[in-house]
Amino acid sequence: MNFPIPDFVPVPSAEIMRTISIVSLIIGICIVGAGLLFLFLNKKKGKEKKETVLWIFIGVGALLIVNHSIQLLF
């Protein structure tokens, strides 16, 4: 469905949107990797206090990965 977009609304080109999705995908992968690394290091040291924050980071990173992977498919 094509909706008319007013002239005052900035709409990026397809190449810029693809670049934004690729950068967001890479950021999501880095967030998940860092979260898993710190989760592993905390388990190794026996510290389980800040585990909730790490799971939130992993969840946000996974959401970014899924969202932008699907967006890059279409």
Side-chain angles (χ1 to χ4, degrees), residues 23-63:
V23 169
S24 296
L25 179 67
I26 292 169
I27 289 171
I29 292 170
C30 291
I31 289 173
V32 168
L36 289 173
L37 177 70
F38 286 123
L39 186 66
F40 175 72
L41 290 175
N42 279 346
K43 293 279 185 181
K44 189 176 179 182
K45 291 180 181 179
K47 296 179 183 178
E48 297 184 9
K49 283 185 177 180
K50 299 181 181 181
E51 193 171 299
T52 306
V53 176
L54 294 175
W55 280 110
I56 291 172
F57 280 139
I58 293 170
V60 169
L63 185 65

